[in-house]
Amino acid sequence: GGTINSALAVQQYGGPFSTNNTHTGRVEDDAGMLFKINTTGMNSVNLSFDWRTFLVSTSDRFVVGYHVGPIAGFGACSGEGETGCFADLRTTLPWYTNQNDLYPTPTGNWAQLLRASQSNSWNSESFLLGNDASNQSEVWIAFWMDNGEGDYAKFDNVLVTAVPEAETYAMMLAGLGLVGFMA
């Protein structure tokens, strides 16, 4: 029922700690934020973050998930924070088959990690992404609020970590050995 400018925000303050002066993502009313990561040469991709909701009804859900591969409908957006970069994923690449279903069915290359209802206090989450997210040039992480009007969720302290693949270690050791030989 609102506009993209009223449903998405980066709030100046408001994270889980009273001393947190970092920006906090805020999503509302079927809107969400995505960012792209590159996991080429990496495996065991882990996503951790803090979250909470405000003013949610019983059918509202804070949802987190990821998509492997390019997303159609974004045009020239690179996913690297440029302004004005948004698309309606419900029509270009739906995450699930029925928005009003409490247990929606993921579609395509989307994987749902969290679908949580009301929480008026901060929660910390950590998820190991599936093997499909390893060694990929495009993995999109998504945070959004499903259903409702006038309810919203915040997320903060988003951290993505990964482990270099064995081949990367082998190449590094070979390079160090070559440098040692040359010395």
Side-chain angles (χ1 to χ4, degrees), residues 13 16 19 25 28 32 38-39 43 65 77 101 107 125 162 166 170 173 177 181:
Y13 305 110
T19 59
E28 174 182 4
N38 182 336
T39 64
N43 59 33
C77 291
D101 186 357
T107 61
E125 302 286 347
L173 288 173
F181 175 77

Side-chain angles (χ1 to χ4, degrees), residues 6 11 26-30 51-62 116-121 145-154:
S6 66
Q11 191 170 318
R26 192 188 78 185
V27 293
E28 174 182 4
D29 308 331
D30 282 325
W51 70 276
R52 72 169 293 182
T53 59
F54 293 88
L55 305 171
V56 298
S57 66
T58 57
S59 62
D60 301 331
R61 299 289 185 262
F62 175 60
S117 61
Q118 186 176 21
S119 175
N120 291 322
S121 61
M145 192 69 191
D146 187 22
N147 291 328
E149 182 64 37
D151 52 359
Y152 60 96
K154 290 183 184 180

Side-chain angles (χ1 to χ4, degrees), residues 23-178:
H23 302 303
T24 301
R26 192 188 78 185
V27 293
E28 174 182 4
D29 308 331
D30 282 325
M33 295 185 185
L34 295 107
F35 65 91
K36 181 175 69 172
I37 60 173
N38 182 336
T39 64
T40 302
M42 304 289 209
N43 59 33
S44 300
V45 181
N46 191 73
L47 170 68
S48 61
F49 56 92
D50 298 322
W51 70 276
R52 72 169 293 182
T53 59
F54 293 88
L55 305 171
V56 298
S57 66
T58 57
S59 62
D60 301 331
R61 299 289 185 262
F62 175 60
V63 185
V64 179
Y66 68 96
H67 169 77
V68 177
I71 297 179
F74 268 102
C77 291
S78 69
E80 297 177 8
E82 64 269 45
T83 58
C85 181
F86 61 89
D88 187 344
L89 294 184
R90 293 172 299 168
T91 58
T92 58
L93 184 62
W95 179 290
Y96 42 79
T97 57
N98 182 352
Q99 289 191 77
N100 297 318
D101 186 357
L102 290 180
Y103 303 100
T105 306
T107 61
N109 291 332
W110 287 101
Q112 184 172 281
L113 300 171
L114 175 71
R115 184 171 190 79
S117 61
Q118 186 176 21
S119 175
N120 291 322
S121 61
W122 284 96
N123 300 280
S124 294
E125 302 286 347
S126 183
F127 295 95
L128 182 63
L129 277 54
N131 289 334
D132 59 337
S134 295
N135 200 27
Q136 298 294 320
S137 62
E138 286 191 48
V139 178
W140 293 81
I141 308 291
F143 297 86
W144 83 93
M145 192 69 191
D146 187 22
N147 291 328
E149 182 64 37
D151 52 359
Y152 60 96
K154 290 183 184 180
F155 55 95
D156 198 3
N157 300 317
V158 177
L159 178 64
V160 179
T161 59
V163 176
E165 292 185 333
E167 295 85 25
T168 306
Y169 282 125
M171 192 180 313
M172 182 183 74
L173 288 173
L176 288 173
L178 185 59

